[in-house]
Amino acid sequence: MASYQKLIENRWRLAGTAAAVVATTVAGGVAWASSTADPAPTPSPSASPSTPSTTPDKPGERGGPGHRGMLGLGGALHGEFVVKKDDGTYQTVATQRGEVTAVSTESLTVKSEDGYSRTYTLTEDTLVNAARDGIDDVKTGNTVMVTAVVADGKATATSVNDGTVREAAREKWGFGRGPR
């Protein structure tokens, strides 16, 4: 048990050292970039949109570009995009983060905070990241992140990540609280 505690202490010491190296490198890069910047930048030919605020709406929630936020994709609530498959064809992929409003072994309905709602078909190939019993552990009211393939207007979930169940497990086992 003592060796396990020593391993934990060394892990945090190593993480702190790595964070200090990263912070120093970033600060040096910023200082170098600002010292070599062109004092008279050329104006852009097109107007640039205003930058959205990256301040989170809720304490403890990260958001904005570069952050995965709670359950992924820079704080995105929902969206669709097209990807090229290995065989050269294309497929539409949908993602959504929100609250489960209905769940069964065949389907899952999710509503995002902006009111968008979608029902996803679940198959035996759908990967469910929840607790031991998979989709049976996903409950109405839980916060999930769904990734799906869309064909002919029908969304079939490829993965469901239940953030509510995962956060409860982290708390139960003492992860995510930092060094003790």
Side-chain angles (χ1 to χ4, degrees):
M1 190 64 156
S3 64
Y4 177 73
Q5 184 63 30
K6 195 177 248 185
L7 177 65
I8 296 297
E9 290 171 5
N10 286 337
R11 182 181 76 185
W12 286 109
R13 192 170 294 136
L14 179 61
T17 302
V21 168
V22 168
T24 303
T25 303
V26 169
V30 169
W32 175 81
S34 64
S35 68
T36 60
D38 184 0
T42 307
S44 174
S46 63
S48 57
S50 63
T51 305
S53 170
T54 58
T55 306
D57 292 336
K58 300 174 191 165
E61 183 178 307
R62 297 182 327 211
H67 293 286
R68 291 188 54 90
M70 184 177 165
L71 298 174
L73 299 177
L77 297 179
H78 55 88
E80 288 187 1
F81 51 94
V82 177
V83 296
K84 189 172 186 177
K85 296 179 3 180
D86 290 338
D87 65 3
T89 61
Y90 300 94
Q91 77 180 21
T92 302
V93 176
T95 62
Q96 184 176 3
R97 177 172 50 110
E99 183 178 312
V100 175
T101 58
V103 61
S104 71
T105 56
E106 291 85 30
S107 68
L108 175 75
T109 303
V110 179
K111 183 176 183 179
S112 296
E113 70 180 53
D114 67 344
Y116 176 83
S117 184
R118 187 171 208 169
T119 299
Y120 300 89
T121 300
L122 303 174
T123 69
E124 64 185 28
D125 296 325
T126 302
L127 300 173
V128 179
N129 188 355
R132 185 178 78 181
D133 295 327
I135 197 65
D136 291 336
D137 289 316
V138 178
K139 305 293 182 209
T140 301
N142 286 9
T143 299
V144 296
M145 179 71 181
V146 179
T147 304
V149 172
V150 180
D152 299 324
K154 178 181 172 186
T156 302
T158 57
S159 69
V160 176
N161 289 297
D162 189 324
T164 304
V165 170
R166 292 172 60 204
E167 183 62 31
R170 274 194 291 277
E171 287 297 317
K172 176 181 178 182
W173 296 107
F175 295 110
R177 292 191 209 133
R180 298 183 209 231

